[in-house]
Amino acid sequence: MENFDGKRFFVYGNGLSGRAAARAIKKLGGKAKIYTDIDGRFTVPQGKDYDGAVISPGIRPTHAVYEYCAANGIKTIGEAEIGLDIAKSAGRKTVCVTGTNGKTTVTRLIADMVDGVACGNIGYPVSTAALDGSKPIVCELSSFQLHNANVCPDVAVITNMASDHADWHGGVENYFAAKCNIATHTSGSLVLGEDIPIKALSTLNTDAKIVWCNSTGICDGAYVLDGYFQFEGNRVCPVDYLRLPGVHNLKNALCAIAAAKTLGAENGAILKAMSGAVPSPHRNEEVGKACGKLWIDDSKGTNVSASLAAVEQTVGSVCLILGGRGKDTDFDELFNALNDRVVSIVAMGETAQAVRDSACKIKPQLSVTVVNGLADAVRAAAAAEGDTVLLSPACASFDEFKSYAERGDRFKAEVRALIKR
């Protein structure tokens, strides 16, 4: 484990992970001071004799703090790296999960299967989890956390990969490389979900044992056969025990089973986790019925592939609410693949015009309504064609909200107001 005794660190970013990193460093005998931008400008840390820096994952690689560290020979480390280091030094098993979609579902499933603690990008800092307990660590890691990370879990998992966050990483190739970095230093096992394009794995460089997943055929790992989830030729549990709907969740379950069995989980524990699983908040969450329509909150659908998966789970005709802050989002890709059951679009936020232009070009038969924000979108959807109204924006929320969760909560509040009326 990194020796923090008497060492000085600065932490850049005062969010949840930044504060957790500072606490961990201090608890392990080091010193840490938190800095953050003031009025959008870089705050130069006082003094230059720092032994290291922890930079919060939301800070872009082009930020001046990285240039400052390079110029002054200051090593950077992530909060998750600190937590994983603490856990491994205590002999605890560690699992890291990443992917474009399904990360949270897979992380929670694995944690339930191995009696571990789910942490990381789901809102519970890894370092806090590592200091506060003794269970296996199962952490979700975003591409932001992985872009320059040095993590070496016992088991790494990549659920799937599709274009996302290209604006933040400076291109989709860099985004794929960040995801693959989860296994660069891993000599244990790497679980690969089946929806990973070959080009996305072009930067994968690992000594880990590959464990495959396949929902349609036998493979060297986890697969489905004769109505059962199977692992390396042995039945694990019936597919019917999985409570989470949709083919994408079948694939998520395979990733979780592969990781859990690699760590030695018993079939009974896996069956219990599968039968007790519930969808994450703001992921295809039914809000209720109003104006003769079923309303569904999929605010967590922040990219094209997630929104397409959400549409596939709906029944009947659909009014789809799209838009927000773009991440170099390819709306042409979305509309080219969109199910014909989508009969109307409500486009909101910064990308509203881009959504409209793409829809009119590729699906001219669709009714498209352009609005400013979420409240207007709900009112427009109430009057639009469709049996179901689905909020699955394929965009980030930061044009109007602090997070997808805040956006989803506001959506539910607006819909419940309609229900009361």
Side-chain angles (χ1 to χ4, degrees), residues 49-195:
D49 55 339
Y50 287 101
D51 298 291
V54 180
I55 303 175
S56 293
I59 295 175
R60 291 174 180 261
T62 54
H63 192 283
V65 67
Y66 283 101
E67 183 180 350
Y68 173 85
C69 290
N72 291 281
I74 299 172
K75 175 187 175 184
T76 63
I77 187 172
E79 181 274 328
E81 293 175 65
I82 294 174
L84 288 165
D85 203 18
I86 293 169
K88 289 184 76 69
S89 69
R92 295 161 69 179
K93 293 294 184 181
T94 56
V95 182
C96 291
V97 180
T98 196
T100 302
N101 297 305
K103 298 184 293 296
T104 301
T105 297
V106 173
T107 298
R108 294 190 186 281
L109 279 173
I110 295 171
D112 288 343
M113 291 173 180
V114 303
D115 191 25
V117 54
C119 57
N121 195 51
I122 62 174
Y124 183 33
V126 184
S127 58
T128 303
L131 287 170
D132 289 352
S134 58
K135 294 183 176 182
I137 293 290
V138 186
C139 63
E140 173 187 328
L141 297 179
S142 69
S143 61
F144 304 157
Q145 291 169 297
L146 286 168
H147 82 278
N148 65 347
N150 183 347
V151 296
C152 47
D154 295 301
V155 180
V157 181
I158 303 177
T159 60
N160 50 62
M161 279 197 275
S163 178
D164 199 12
H165 298 299
D167 60 329
W168 197 93
H169 288 281
V172 69
E173 295 81 6
N174 293 337
Y175 167 73
F176 289 152
K179 291 294 189 184
C180 288
N181 196 32
I182 197 171
T184 300
H185 306 284
T186 299
S187 57
S189 297
L190 169 62
V191 174
L192 291 179
E194 61 187 281
D195 293 331

Side-chain angles (χ1 to χ4, degrees), residues 122-290:
I122 62 174
Y124 183 33
V126 184
S127 58
T128 303
L131 287 170
D132 289 352
S134 58
K135 294 183 176 182
I137 293 290
V138 186
C139 63
E140 173 187 328
L141 297 179
S142 69
S143 61
F144 304 157
Q145 291 169 297
L146 286 168
H147 82 278
N148 65 347
N150 183 347
V151 296
C152 47
D154 295 301
V155 180
V157 181
I158 303 177
T159 60
N160 50 62
M161 279 197 275
S163 178
D164 199 12
H165 298 299
D167 60 329
W168 197 93
H169 288 281
V172 69
E173 295 81 6
N174 293 337
Y175 167 73
F176 289 152
K179 291 294 189 184
C180 288
N181 196 32
I182 197 171
T184 300
H185 306 284
T186 299
S187 57
S189 297
L190 169 62
V191 174
L192 291 179
E194 61 187 281
D195 293 331
I196 304 177
I198 294 297
K199 65 178 181 179
L201 295 175
S202 62
T203 61
L204 182 63
N205 180 20
T206 183
D207 293 326
K209 175 189 174 183
I210 304 298
V211 182
W212 302 95
C213 299
N214 196 323
S215 61
T216 59
I218 298 173
C219 67
D220 187 10
Y223 54 93
V224 175
L225 182 66
D226 297 331
Y228 280 81
F229 289 110
Q230 309 223 13
F231 183 75
E232 294 184 345
N234 298 303
R235 287 183 173 181
V236 177
C237 72
V239 171
D240 290 347
Y241 274 78
L242 177 64
R243 288 187 59 193
L244 301 174
V247 174
H248 65 291
N249 276 319
L250 182 76
K251 296 174 181 180
N252 288 337
L254 285 169
C255 289
I257 289 168
K261 293 300 289 184
T262 298
L263 288 178
E266 297 291 336
N267 288 353
I270 292 174
L271 188 152
K272 183 178 179 181
M274 303 273 273
S275 60
V278 295
S280 301
H282 311 295
R283 176 63 85 195
N284 290 302
E285 183 179 1
E286 291 191 7
V287 182
K289 290 188 176 180

